């Protein structure tokens, strides 16, 4: 693939540049990573902590809810998070 890219580099960037065996896979990896970054969709990871008026506060983390393991994106909407909050 590199021998096909070298003439393009000579025309567009600078004469004498090489797109050999190492440069071609590196270029492909860079392009793939840029595509992954462009396709990224941000998701909220909000945490809810109990509100307590006492001096001793207890903090915790939900590990299991209704028999299912809770992971980072188990609850994706606010209504789901409110349901968990109410059941606790």
């Amino acid at each position: 693939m590199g021998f096909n890219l070298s003439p393009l580099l000579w025309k567009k960037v600078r004469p004498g540049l090489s797109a050999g065996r190492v440069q071609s896979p590196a270029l492909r990896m860079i392009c793939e990573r840029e595509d992954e970054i462009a396709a990224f969709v941000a998701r909220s990871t909000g945490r809810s902590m109990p509100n307590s008026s006492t001096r001793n506060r207890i903090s915790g983390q939900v590990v299991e809810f209704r028999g299912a393991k809770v992971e980072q994106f188990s609850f994706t909407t606010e209504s789901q998070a409110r349901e968990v909050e109410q059941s606790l």
Side-chain angles (χ1 to χ4, degrees), residues 10 13 16 22 32 53 65 74 83-84:
W10 298 341
V13 182
V22 174
E32 288 173 355
S53 60
F65 183 69
S74 293
E83 180 185 350
V84 172

Side-chain angles (χ1 to χ4, degrees), residues 43-48 61-88:
R43 299 193 296 190
S44 174
T45 60
R47 292 177 181 243
S48 178
Q61 184 175 3
V62 178
V63 178
E64 186 177 305
F65 183 69
R66 293 190 177 155
K69 183 180 178 184
V70 175
E71 297 188 12
Q72 186 174 8
F73 296 111
S74 293
F75 312 114
T76 56
T77 64
E78 184 177 351
S79 62
Q80 289 174 332
R82 294 289 175 206
E83 180 185 350
V84 172
E85 183 181 48
Q86 291 300 317
S87 69
L88 293 175

